[in-house]
Amino acid sequence: PAHQRRGVGTRLLRAALHRLEAAGAEWVALGGGGEDYIWPGVPDDLPAAVGFFAARGWRWDHRVIDLVRDLRDYQPPPGAYQRASRAGVSLEVAGERDLEAVLAFEAATFPTWLRWFQRRDSSVLVARDGDGRVVGTLLFRGPDEGLMFAPMLGPASGTIGCVGVADDHQGRGVGSAMVAHASELLRRAGTRACHIGWVVRRDFYVRVGYTPWRAYLLSRRQLPST
């Protein structure tokens, strides 16, 4: 704070853009974390940061949120599993034998998430149809003292992410069933606060029992050399 409004932030931003351009980057996005997720964009409860980037020509593309839930008293909402069950969908935690099918599903359906599944640092919940085909996946982890948000949410925190359902099974309650089941598994394992990040479909997660926590403004721009 003692060195704010002296041009330090502007020079840091300019140097970062030059360094990324020199390294061959074609696009740059505002956010934090590098190889690990922290913030998808600029937190909208930091008005000085929002104003800083807006004043330097960054334009906001869209807004996403994080949600949290204290799992100690978590119970799935009534009917959370019924529609998926009627559609013949079953849920299970993936084992070694499922890895090939899971990675193939991500590569074909949600390729931008593939690398998070390849890291294998989280458990995978798999939804299968009556023929045994993978029709949905999500990652979950906890309780984990090393979780990025543990300093804010507490040491026994957990996370759910990369919730995806195949096009031909959307609208059948598969996503809701997966989130509810993963939340129950985390609760049984001793997880207290569960974090779900980078969310656009707010109402979907609210219906499964989660509460909006923070919001972020996203922005990206093409670097001059491209």
Side-chain angles (χ1 to χ4, degrees):
H3 286 76
Q4 290 180 5
R5 301 187 182 281
R6 298 186 182 182
V8 177
T10 299
R11 292 180 64 186
L12 282 170
L13 177 61
R14 187 181 302 125
L17 294 175
H18 286 325
R19 194 179 187 101
L20 289 168
E21 185 179 359
E26 296 181 356
W27 289 85
V28 60
L30 300 180
E35 291 301 311
D36 279 304
Y37 165 80
I38 303 178
W39 290 345
V42 179
D44 73 354
D45 62 352
L46 298 179
V50 173
F52 171 84
F53 289 106
R56 285 153 186 80
W58 294 78
R59 297 294 175 259
W60 310 117
D61 299 327
H62 60 286
R63 182 175 177 268
V64 298
I65 65 170
D66 286 0
L67 303 96
V68 294
R69 177 64 153 87
D70 187 335
L71 296 182
R72 287 174 292 179
D73 63 348
Y74 183 80
Q75 295 293 329
Y81 301 115
Q82 290 179 1
R83 284 195 299 151
S85 180
R86 285 198 300 267
V89 173
S90 61
L91 306 177
E92 63 179 1
V93 178
E96 287 293 326
R97 61 183 175 82
D98 303 304
L99 182 61
E100 183 177 352
V102 166
L103 295 180
F105 173 78
E106 298 306 321
T109 315
F110 302 102
T112 58
W113 292 350
L114 177 61
R115 67 188 182 108
W116 301 108
F117 286 81
Q118 290 173 326
R119 290 175 60 153
R120 304 183 66 183
D121 58 358
S122 300
S123 298
V124 182
L125 187 65
V126 179
R128 293 184 181 273
D129 66 11
D131 297 324
R133 181 173 65 97
V134 175
V135 296
T137 53
L138 66 69
L139 296 174
F140 68 103
R141 181 172 147 193
D144 185 357
E145 294 186 6
L147 197 69
M148 199 69 69
F149 283 103
M152 302 176 74
L153 299 178
S157 55
T159 185
I160 291 173
C162 296
V163 182
V165 179
D167 288 344
D168 61 353
H169 273 70
Q170 291 184 7
R172 301 184 184 186
V174 178
S176 298
M178 288 198 302
V179 174
H181 189 48
S183 299
E184 286 199 283
L185 293 173
L186 288 169
R187 174 179 59 78
R188 294 171 193 164
T191 304
R192 298 182 66 168
C194 182
H195 171 264
I196 301 177
W198 207 309
V199 169
V200 176
R201 296 181 59 195
R202 174 188 180 277
D203 293 344
F204 166 79
Y205 291 98
V206 169
R207 287 195 299 270
V208 193
Y210 282 77
T211 301
W213 182 43
R214 308 185 76 185
Y216 308 88
L217 299 171
L218 274 62
S219 183
R220 66 195 299 265
R221 62 163 57 169
Q222 196 169 19
L223 289 173
S225 64
T226 58

